Amino acid sequence: MCDNVRMISSQRQHLILSRLRTRGAVRITALSKELGVSAMTIRRDIAELADKGLLKRVHGGAVTTSTLLSEPLFSVKSQMDIGLKDAIAQEAVKYVAPGDVIAIGGGTTAYVFAQHLLESQQSSGITILTNSIPVAELVQALESKDVEVIVTGGVITRSNSLVGPIADKVVASLRVNTVFLGTHSVSIPRGFLMPNSLEAATDMAMMDIADRTIILTDHTKWSCTSLSLFARFDQVDTVITDDGLDPDSAAKTKDLVKELVLAHQSEITEESE
C-alpha cells in the first residue's frame, strides 16, 4: 500500500491516470485501499477526471476513454462490473435446459454466464458452440465430461473471440436451440452494436442458426456507442440486463424487444455509484 495519507487531489488524480495507462481499467475499492482514502474521495476524483474527458466512468471504477473502433482487452473488461454480470448470468441460466444445444458468444458477460451455467444442474448433457477462447477453456477444464464444446476457429480479436470467414463457415453448418450474446453497446432504436465488424458478422451468423437469441448486457451499455450493428431489436427474443437501467431506457427497450428482464443484484457493494 502506498503512503498517500496527505496526498492532495491533483496527486491522486495523476496516480489514477497512471494506473489507467498501464492497466486499462481501475476499481474504486482497489484505489481506495492503495491510497488510504475513502471510496467517496476516489469517486469524486474519477468524476472530475471524467468531466475533463480524461477517463470514462463505469460501475465500480473507470476505464480509459475509447473510440468507436476500440475494443478493450478481455483481461481489462473482466475486472469491471462483476456484480452486474453475476446477476445477469444467474437469470440467463434459467433459459437453458439439460441436454440443450446452445451457442455462447464472446465477451466477459457471456463468459460469466458460462461460469454460472457450468456450475448449475442445467448444464447436464448440453453441447456448447462458442467462438470464445475463454469459454472453451472453461469447459475443457471441467472434470466432468458431460458437457461437449465445439469451437469455431477463426481470427482472434482483442476480446479473445474467434471471428471472420472461417468462424462464420463453421457456424453456418450447425444448428442450436439458443444463442447467448454480449454486446458492446445498445442504441435505441437501432439495436445492438460491436466495434469490430468481423465480430458483428460472426454474431449475426450465430443468430441465423439459433431458434432463440438472448442478449446479455449490463445497463452501462446504453450509454455507449459502436460502429457495427449485428442485431435489430426485432431480431432478439430476450434482453437480460440489470436493474440499474434507467426507467426511460427500460421503457423504450421494452417497447422494442419481445422480452426485457431486469436482473436484481443481491448485494449492493461499496463500489456502487
Side-chain angles (χ1 to χ4, degrees), residues 198-219:
L198 289 178
E199 188 163 9
T202 299
D203 284 350
M204 291 168 66
M206 287 199 281
M207 289 173 57
D208 286 343
I209 67 161
D211 297 327
R212 178 173 61 176
T213 296
I214 298 177
I215 301 292
L216 311 176
T217 182
D218 67 76
H219 74 273

Side-chain angles (χ1 to χ4, degrees), residues 52 56 68-69 75 120 122 155 181 188 199 213 222 243:
K52 297 175 184 176
K56 179 181 176 182
L68 293 177
L69 297 175
S75 58
S120 72
Q122 279 95 321
V155 178
L181 298 172
I188 297 174
E199 188 163 9
T213 296
W222 270 258
D243 56 4

Side-chain angles (χ1 to χ4, degrees), residues 217-235:
T217 182
D218 67 76
H219 74 273
T220 65
K221 303 302 172 61
W222 270 258
S223 61
C224 301
T225 188
S226 295
L227 180 67
S228 300
L229 182 75
F230 70 88
R232 302 188 310 271
F233 281 99
D234 61 4
Q235 294 175 301

Side-chain angles (χ1 to χ4, degrees), residues 123-196:
S123 67
S124 176
I126 66 171
T127 298
I128 298 174
L129 167 67
T130 187
N131 69 325
S132 166
I133 294 174
V135 169
E137 291 175 339
L138 193 64
V139 178
Q140 191 63 26
L142 284 177
E143 293 184 7
S144 169
K145 299 303 178 183
D146 196 30
V147 178
E148 182 178 357
V149 62
I150 301 169
V151 184
T152 64
V155 178
I156 303 176
T157 69
R158 286 171 56 86
S159 60
N160 281 7
S161 299
L162 296 165
V163 301
I166 294 174
D168 299 349
K169 186 174 182 179
V170 171
V171 170
S173 66
L174 302 169
R175 189 77 193 173
V176 299
N177 302 121
T178 308
V179 59
F180 296 87
L181 298 172
T183 184
H184 185 267
S185 61
V186 183
S187 175
I188 297 174
R190 291 186 65 203
F192 306 91
L193 302 100
M194 287 289 185
N196 185 318

